[in-house]
């Protein structure tokens, strides 16, 4: 009995953390790691993959035709020293075709949103503190927060 599995079923089985990240770390980090990546493209984290490099995004979720990472790998252009095996190519192909699950969405300023700690720092609004006579107190910013807490 022969069982045929659709590529959609296979795609759902590809997990970024278990399948894709180890592949990229093992095969791509030499040239596209976090330190001085070629073409300003680091494949070391989901945020960096989503951001892309100097020529723009390299993974277009669900779109193999316009994903330059897939196009370069499919043509055996990357990695140059030893192209990926058919099984490794299938992992990348199925992951991108499934919508690249595990990649963060890009914000409007083209910075991937992954974790609150990587968000830009914005100064808080200073609370207004009043003296006993009802006039605004002339306090340093830190003292304003302390006064409100008291």
């Amino acid at each position: 009995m022969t069982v045929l599995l659709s590529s959609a079923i296979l795609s759902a089985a590809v997990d970024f953390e278990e399948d894709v990240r180890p592949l990229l770390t093992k095969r791509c980090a030499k040239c596209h790691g976090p330190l001085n990546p070629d073409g300003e493209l680091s494949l070391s984290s989901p945020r960096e993959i989503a951001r892309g490099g100097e020529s723009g995004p390299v993974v277009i979720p669900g779109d193999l035709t316009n994903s330059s990472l897939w196009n370069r790998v499919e043509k055996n252009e990357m990695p140059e020293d030893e192209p990926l095996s058919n099984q490794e190519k299938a992992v990348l192909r199925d992951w991108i075709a499934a919508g690249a699950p595990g990649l963060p969405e890009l914000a409007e300023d083209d910075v991937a949103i992954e974790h609150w700690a990587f968000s830009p720092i914005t100064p808080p609004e200073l609370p207004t503190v009043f003296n006993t006579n009802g006039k605004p107190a002339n306090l340093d910013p830190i003292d304003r927060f302390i006064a409100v807490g008291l």
Side-chain angles (χ1 to χ4, degrees), residues 13-129:
V14 177
D15 181 72
F16 179 78
E17 291 298 329
E18 291 183 21
D19 304 312
V20 178
R21 185 190 293 254
L23 171 64
L24 295 175
T25 300
K26 177 182 172 188
R27 301 300 305 273
C28 306
K30 177 180 168 187
C31 298
H32 296 287
L35 303 176
N36 198 20
D38 288 354
E40 296 182 20
L41 172 63
S42 173
L43 300 175
S44 60
S45 75
R47 182 179 66 82
E48 296 295 327
I49 296 167
R51 187 179 64 87
E54 62 187 21
S55 19
V58 294
V59 173
I60 309 298
D63 187 355
L64 289 170
T65 305
N66 292 311
S67 293
S68 61
L69 175 66
W70 170 248
N71 291 328
R72 305 283 304 265
V73 166
E74 182 185 34
K75 295 175 186 172
N76 292 326
E77 295 176 2
M78 294 292 165
E80 294 174 349
D81 55 348
E82 182 183 346
L84 299 179
S85 69
N86 288 337
Q87 183 179 6
E88 291 170 323
K89 287 180 183 180
V91 168
L92 284 178
R93 181 193 63 232
D94 292 347
W95 174 66
I96 294 170
L103 287 189
E105 294 183 28
L106 293 176
E108 290 180 19
D109 60 355
D110 200 31
V111 176
I113 300 169
E114 184 174 316
H115 189 273
W116 66 267
F118 299 114
S119 299
I121 297 173
T122 55
E125 185 176 326
L126 296 176
T128 304
V129 179

